[in-house]
Amino acid sequence: MTVKAKREPSVLLNPADLVTDFDPDAGLAKPDSTSVRRLRDLGGMFRDQAAFEATCRDENPLVYTVQVFSPRDHEGDLSLGFGRLEPGTVGDEFYMTKGHVHERTEMAEIYVGLRGRGVMLLRNASGGHTRALDLSAGKIVYVPGHTLHRTVNCGDEALCYFGIYPSLAGHDYSSLQRIGFDAVVIRSPEGPKVLGKGEELAVTR
Ligand code: S6P
Ligand code: ZN
């Protein structure tokens, strides 16, 4: 019996969709989508609720922008998210992303630090303690599947990075509410500190 080779669909239908310019500071020249998070979108996520309410009372500052480059979203495809996280704090806690685990929880992601000083918080979705990894300019962080991930800007300028992930990974923010991160990144006179249950955590560099 002859087995016919499976024909793969051509992906090079429109090469113009497969290339884009980018700038490590400003992001992608032609993103397929852009989303913006302001401080009020992050309600309940900072430890100092009074400071959060005071900061949000009169204004709703921009916290981060994500531009997505996703030419195709079939099984096996990849997408790239350019993140720009502004500098700032709520009380003494640095601005951060919401954080999520992928809906397709087994799917991993690679982060590339492009500009600024940052930390990634990673936590196994089934529990265990939060780990902190350096995501400053020049660093690459591998986020395994089944891992809750959040980005924190612990510098005084914008933190810019790429996240490269399977297009079908999806975002699950509800696990974040259930599990959360048991660590915060704060400004201190000695510099940024990651505090786990009352004790300082080392940042893996
Ligand atoms: C997507 C990837 C990033 C984040 C971005 C914003 O898998 O991890 O592009 O979406 O850093 O974070 P969040 O938690 O608000 O989606
Ligand atoms: Zn992700």
Side-chain angles (χ1 to χ4, degrees), residues 15-16 24 55-57 64 78 81 84 86 93-94 99 106 109 127 149 153 168 177-178 205:
T55 317
C56 284
R57 194 166 302 131
Y64 60 97
L78 296 174
R84 183 191 156 102
E86 303 302 326
E93 194 175 351
F94 288 109
E106 77 283 7
E109 178 162 3
H149 45 290
N153 183 350
L168 297 181
Q177 277 150 3
R178 240 180 330 105
R205 294 179 197 284

Side-chain angles (χ1 to χ4, degrees), residues 37 64 66 81-83 97-100 102 109 111 149 151 161 163 165 169-171 173:
R37 302 275 191 204
Y64 60 97
V66 181
F82 168 84
T97 58
K98 289 174 99 165
H100 61 272
H102 295 145
E109 178 162 3
Y111 273 73
H149 45 290
T151 313
Y161 58 87
Y165 52 95
H171 294 76
Y173 296 102

Side-chain angles (χ1 to χ4, degrees), residues 21-44:
D21 290 313
F22 83 92
D23 178 293
D25 185 32
L28 311 181
K30 5 174 237 192
D32 294 304
S33 65
T34 300
S35 59
V36 163
R37 302 275 191 204
R38 295 185 173 274
L39 195 54
R40 286 185 202 143
D41 299 321
L42 301 176

Side-chain angles (χ1 to χ4, degrees), residues 153-165:
N153 183 350
C154 55
D156 295 320
E157 58 170 330
L159 173 73
C160 298
Y161 58 87
F162 284 150
I164 301 163
Y165 52 95

